[in-house]
Amino acid sequence: MVQDKCKELNKDINLFTIDSAESLENFRLKYLTKKSPIQDLFNLIKDIAGDERKQAGQYINEVKQQAEAKFEQHKELYTKSNIKNQPVFDYSLSHNAVNTGSRHPLQITLNSIVQLFSKLGFTVSNGPEIENDWHNFSALNFPAEHPARDMQDTFFVNAEHALRTHTSSVQVRLMESTQPPIRSLMPGRVYRNEAISARANCFFHQVEGLYIDRDVSFADLKYTLYEFVKQFFNNDVKVRFRPSYFPFTEPSAEMDISCQICKGSGCNVCKQSGWVEILGCGMVDSQVLTNCKIDEQIYSGFAFGMGIERLTMLQYGINDLRIFFDNDIRFLKQFVPEN
Ligand code: DAH
């Protein structure tokens, strides 16, 4: 009986893992104190007679020696005296700077756009990247045969749904769910089936703006966008509006700014013209308001949309759009984190 118990203890001792000062101490407390199971066995054999007692004592002693040997073996490794022999840690050493990374340049641009427009009372709204035909096209007045609906431009998910081709879809969602006054920015990723090059990618980022209230005019649109570019680029920036066409705005325009790279004297970026286009804009078409259940007799509004990659390229003098998506740390770490 004592023999069986010793065998069991033997096994437990072998299986006990000592891999730290703490587990070494736990081992000692478990097997080498007065309350250990080994000691219990010694107490038990007091009642056994003669030879049998001698035999049992031998078994228990073997277990005890085994436990002591294991303890001694590991003591070397894990006791404090051993740690003392190691080099003293110098607490006055400076710490290794923690590598915190930096914000992605596109996010830096978006953050500053959001911040500048928030001063004018604009909030931020989001919408889904997989859109139905109504929100991406129909509500925005795209005729059924419009080329933007073409398979060549749009990534269709199924007959009804596509990856949104612009963030204008969020305008529709916002107008459907909110009555004016509306003043919001709609940032997000958009997708177009385009060949990848230095100037185009099959996905990119836009930020759209929408302002709807009573008596909103084209003058408000010009003022708002002019104020924005002055603060985003610099006070010397010049702007010009060229008539354009979008199905969802009437009248529509594109806004150019004086080239920030050559300051208007002509370079590769502005194709020697001194101007670069940065956004599309216009007065929200009355049919779009009606489509979204907003009374066009009472309300009017303007909208604009711009590419975040394009603004970032102009801001930092970057000439290849693909570099934004390479995740090359040498490129990314040049952008100082914001506060
Ligand atoms: N949705 C247009 C595009 O992707 C950009 C745009 C133009 C948005 C005019 C607008 C706008 O809100 O008014 O090319």
Side-chain angles (χ1 to χ4, degrees):
M1 193 227 177
V2 172
Q3 193 180 4
D4 289 344
K5 284 206 167 151
C6 286
K7 268 191 190 154
E8 226 171 85
L9 267 175
N10 214 317
K11 212 166 111 199
D12 291 348
I13 289 167
N14 275 333
L15 289 175
F16 197 109
T17 314
I18 303 177
D19 55 5
S20 62
E22 198 187 345
S23 51
L24 178 72
E25 178 61 2
N26 288 339
F27 181 84
R28 189 187 68 79
L29 291 172
K30 183 152 185 200
Y31 295 110
L32 300 175
T33 59
K34 290 231 164 68
K35 286 181 185 156
S36 79
I38 301 174
Q39 197 58 46
D40 289 348
L41 285 179
F42 276 127
N43 296 340
L44 213 83
I45 60 169
K46 275 188 221 133
D47 308 330
I48 307 177
D51 272 0
E52 233 175 288
R53 177 151 101 202
K54 204 171 152 199
Q55 183 68 49
Q58 225 165 355
Y59 287 138
I60 304 169
N61 263 325
E62 272 166 28
V63 179
K64 192 178 170 199
Q65 278 157 18
Q66 188 208 354
E68 281 168 355
K70 182 161 179 157
F71 179 77
E72 289 302 321
Q73 225 174 32
H74 290 84
K75 203 167 126 187
E76 274 286 291
L77 278 174
Y78 298 116
T79 48
K80 292 223 172 70
S81 62
N82 192 45
I83 291 168
K84 260 188 218 146
N85 295 333
Q86 297 193 350
V88 175
F89 184 77
D90 180 356
Y91 289 95
S92 69
L93 282 175
S94 66
H95 67 92
N96 289 335
V98 180
N99 195 348
T100 52
S102 56
R103 240 182 257 286
H104 194 282
L106 296 179
Q107 192 63 50
I108 295 176
T109 301
L110 177 59
N111 287 356
S112 76
I113 294 171
V114 169
Q115 200 205 351
L116 293 176
F117 275 98
S118 71
K119 288 189 205 159
L120 300 172
F122 281 73
T123 58
V124 173
S125 309
N126 293 297
E129 293 187 14
I130 297 177
E131 259 307 358
N132 55 24
D133 179 271
W134 171 255
H135 290 102
N136 198 77
F137 296 124
S138 298
L140 290 160
N141 265 351
F142 280 84
E145 70 286 0
H146 195 283
R149 295 183 173 217
D150 204 298
M151 280 301 237
Q152 262 116 57
D153 276 318
T154 309
F155 289 112
F156 284 93
V157 174
N158 56 34
E160 236 319 274
H161 295 89
L163 298 181
R164 68 179 175 197
T165 57
H166 52 183
T167 43
S168 308
S169 53
V170 191
Q171 281 188 31
V172 178
R173 289 186 175 273
L174 188 60
M175 288 190 280
E176 281 175 338
S177 62
T178 324
Q179 278 299 304
I182 295 172
R183 229 182 298 175
S184 195
L185 292 177
M186 288 137 279
R189 187 175 287 191
V190 301
Y191 302 83
R192 284 182 204 173
N193 194 357
E194 293 197 23
I196 297 170
S197 71
R199 309 184 119 252
N201 200 356
C202 53
F203 69 88
F204 58 99
H205 299 79
Q206 290 188 326
V207 56
E208 197 110 346
L210 178 68
Y211 179 21
I212 303 193
D213 205 342
R214 289 167 196 265
D215 303 323
V216 177
S217 72
F218 204 91
D220 297 313
L221 161 70
K222 284 175 96 171
Y223 168 81
T224 307
L225 293 178
Y226 187 35
E227 278 308 305
F228 161 66
V229 289
K230 274 198 298 191
Q231 292 189 43
F232 186 80
F233 289 104
N234 66 62
N235 277 317
D236 297 336
V237 72
K238 292 193 186 65
V239 301
R240 73 176 186 190
F241 288 83
R242 284 177 292 102
S244 185
Y245 172 77
F246 299 104
F248 40 90
T249 46
E250 183 59 35
S252 304
E254 276 170 323
M255 190 176 94
D256 297 342
I257 59 165
S258 47
C259 180
Q260 296 298 292
I261 310 285
C262 63
K263 301 287 167 220
S265 61
C267 68
N268 282 344
V269 172
C270 61
K271 299 198 195 97
Q272 312 304 331
S273 72
W275 295 95
V276 281
E277 182 221 313
I278 62 158
L279 57 83
C281 58
M283 301 304 293
V284 180
D285 195 295
S286 55
Q287 184 59 48
V288 173
L289 294 176
T290 308
N291 289 346
C292 300
K293 312 252 170 345
I294 289 178
D295 190 341
E296 49 102 11
Q297 298 294 329
I298 305 175
Y299 297 109
S300 58
F302 67 74
F304 57 89
M306 50 198 160
I308 300 178
E309 280 79 355
R310 193 169 174 70
L311 284 182
T312 312
M313 288 166 87
L314 290 171
Q315 178 84 301
Y316 294 104
I318 295 166
N319 58 14
D320 191 329
L321 177 144
R322 290 168 291 196
I323 201 167
F324 290 126
F325 311 113
D326 283 347
N327 281 335
D328 186 331
I329 272 194
R330 290 167 302 174
F331 169 69
L332 296 173
K333 74 178 178 191
Q334 296 176 73
F335 299 89
V336 186
E338 288 165 290
N339 294 328

